[in-house]
Amino acid sequence: ALTQGEGDASDPEVSYDGKKIVFAMRCPASNSATVAGAPACTGRWNIWEYDMTASGLEGGTPRRITASTVSDDVDPAYLPAGGGFVFSSNRQTKTKETINGQDVFALDEYERERVLNLHTMKADGTAITQISVNQSHDRNPVVKSNGDIMFSRWEHVGPRNRFAIFTSRPDGTNMFVRYGAHSPGNSF
């Protein structure tokens, strides 16, 4: 209904209590669907949550958490204890610059596209904070049982093309490679 047959949803993650699902969704800005009186689609990937607390799966309520018209937000995961979300985004709250009134974003190693880095935000979508800074794409964050975030980094500079596995605390500190070409003995 929200996509009106044109759009994509991906990366679903179930909340710790099993009553909500967070996911990424993109649909054309020309779409006429609305949520809470606002257009449902921006033409970019945004983070959404489907709340089944009151009415179960079929009677759930969709809520758009991010509403970007210029950036893509993907790969959401719940942080523990209602701490919000971690997600990948090319919005780059730390690594973009404004030059002559124009936003300039960090690009990937081949300067083809804006790089995706990890961000966190509160459950209501506020306090978006970039927690990783890298020229390679940081994707697919998951939260480990100790609260650390584990994610993949697509390193594709030069002849290398690998997906190394990193961990980090939710505030971006203690970032460490766990598995990659140079550290095969590390465990999760």
Side-chain angles (χ1 to χ4, degrees):
L2 289 175
T3 65
Q4 297 178 339
E6 292 186 34
D8 298 295
S10 69
D11 313 313
E13 293 287 333
V14 177
S15 64
Y16 293 98
D17 64 4
K19 296 179 180 180
K20 298 177 182 178
I21 301 171
V22 66
F23 59 97
M25 187 171 76
R26 177 190 65 179
C27 46
S30 59
N31 180 318
S32 63
T34 60
V35 170
C41 300
T42 67
R44 304 302 296 227
W45 286 97
N46 282 286
I47 306 297
W48 288 75
E49 186 176 55
Y50 188 70
D51 188 344
M52 303 170 288
T53 305
S55 303
L57 179 61
E58 294 192 23
T61 308
R63 170 178 74 106
R64 186 177 56 212
I65 301 170
T66 62
S68 181
T69 59
V70 296
S71 301
D72 292 305
D73 301 330
V74 295
D75 299 333
Y78 287 94
L79 292 171
F85 306 95
V86 59
F87 62 102
S88 296
S89 179
N90 60 9
R91 67 176 54 227
Q92 302 176 11
T93 57
K94 283 185 181 177
T95 51
K96 75 177 175 191
E97 293 185 60
T98 302
I99 301 172
N100 297 327
Q102 191 84 9
D103 285 338
V104 178
F105 296 90
L107 301 178
D108 69 1
E109 293 97 331
Y110 299 114
E111 298 184 359
R112 293 183 295 203
E113 60 187 347
R114 289 168 37 186
V115 70
L116 291 159
N117 289 134
L118 295 185
H119 291 70
T120 59
M121 65 180 157
K122 291 182 179 180
D124 64 3
T126 62
I128 295 175
T129 305
Q130 184 176 342
I131 64 167
S132 73
V133 175
N134 190 51
Q135 198 174 0
S136 296
H137 298 285
D138 292 341
R139 299 290 311 261
N140 309 105
V142 296
V143 179
K144 296 174 53 175
S145 61
N146 68 356
D148 284 353
I149 297 167
M150 185 168 62
F151 63 96
S152 63
R153 177 172 285 167
W154 179 22
E155 297 175 333
H156 55 97
V157 66
R160 286 191 345 200
N161 196 13
R162 72 178 184 157
F163 287 88
I165 305 298
F166 283 75
T167 59
S168 170
R169 292 193 177 121
D171 63 2
T173 61
N174 202 33
M175 191 167 294
F176 189 78
V177 65
R178 294 293 174 184
Y179 180 79
H182 302 294
S183 57
N186 288 344
S187 63
F188 296 96

